[in-house]
Amino acid sequence: QKEVEQDPGPLSVPEGAIVSLNCTYSNSAFQYFMWYRQYSRKGPELLMYTYSSGNKEDGRFTAQVDKSSKYISLFIRDSQPSDSATYLCAMRLPGYSSASKIIFGSGTRLSIRP
Amino acid sequence: DSGVTQTPKHLITATGQRVTLRCSPRSGDLSVYWYQQSLDQGLQFLIQYYNGEERAKGNILERFSAQQFPDLHSELNLSSLELGDSALYFCASSVAGEVGTGELFFGEGSRLTVL
């Protein structure tokens, strides 16, 4: 079993819809959670970073962590065609501040239809 | 544009061959990370260099090696290539050796195809 599981998609939704992207994980000790966005033929870029449980909002994006369920989500409101990309969740344990300890999900491909 | 430059963008080679991938980090960044991305395994950390020294090692095969030069650019050497080595190889950089918040700057990747 992988430490971090992510539905690969593809997920296709119409423009303006609310998108929900999710990851589950097996290690309850994970404390730091990230979402990266990767456009086609580009490298990943950090979108959101959250610590422990709760919500974090940044414009149209909301990251949610439910540690009791070992489940994290990224919500995109008023989705735009420019949001079409692969979204990777990532997480790491406390006490390991090196980026080398970040575990990535395999990504969900999202397509927003105009 | 992340400021991280990777060459070549595409590479096609045969099994048993050796290739070198090159990465120039963002100006001022001291750390370079190498990742392998394949469809089934996702993004896998290979190795990190900080200011010329190896800092961390991940699931890097013995057939693979890397180094960081005094000008901070880095090279990833892949030898005795196998079909399963076909993947996207990303380089990322950061200012410091520790970036727990995940603030890594990725290049556009080198797509390696082994035939």
Side-chain angles (χ1 to χ4, degrees), chain B residues 1 38 42 45 47 49 57 62 76 83 86-87 93 98 101 114:
Chain B
D1 184 2
S38 57
F45 168 71
I47 197 163
Y49 278 82
K57 215 166 188 176
E62 284 191 15
L76 179 67
L83 296 178
S86 296
S93 72
E98 307 292 323
T101 56
V114 182

Side-chain angles (χ1 to χ4, degrees), chain A residues 25-60:
Chain A
Y25 59 95
S26 57
N27 191 340
S28 58
F30 281 129
Q31 287 272 26
Y32 300 86
F33 303 92
M34 290 143 275
W35 284 95
Y36 287 79
R37 178 175 60 196
Q38 184 176 10
Y39 289 116
S40 179
R41 303 184 198 288
K42 300 289 186 183
E45 56 178 337
L46 181 66
L47 195 58
M48 300 279 284
Y49 167 81
T50 55
Y51 169 70
S52 196
S53 281
N55 293 0
K56 182 174 182 179
E57 193 172 313
D58 184 2
R60 296 184 295 110

Side-chain angles (χ1 to χ4, degrees), chain A residues 2 32 34 36 38 41-44 46 49 88 92 97-100 102 104-106, chain B residues 33 35 37 40 42-43 45 48 56 90 97-104 106-108:
Chain A
K2 289 183 181 177
Y32 300 86
M34 290 143 275
Y36 287 79
Q38 184 176 10
R41 303 184 198 288
K42 300 289 186 183
L46 181 66
Y49 167 81
L88 296 88
R92 70 167 178 87
S97 55
S98 170
S100 64
I102 296 173
F104 288 87
S106 53
Chain B
Y33 309 78
Y35 289 86
Q37 187 177 44
D40 56 343
L43 198 62
F45 168 71
Q48 176 196 359
F90 284 103
E98 307 292 323
V99 278
T101 56
E103 192 66 75
L104 296 170
F106 284 84
E108 295 190 353

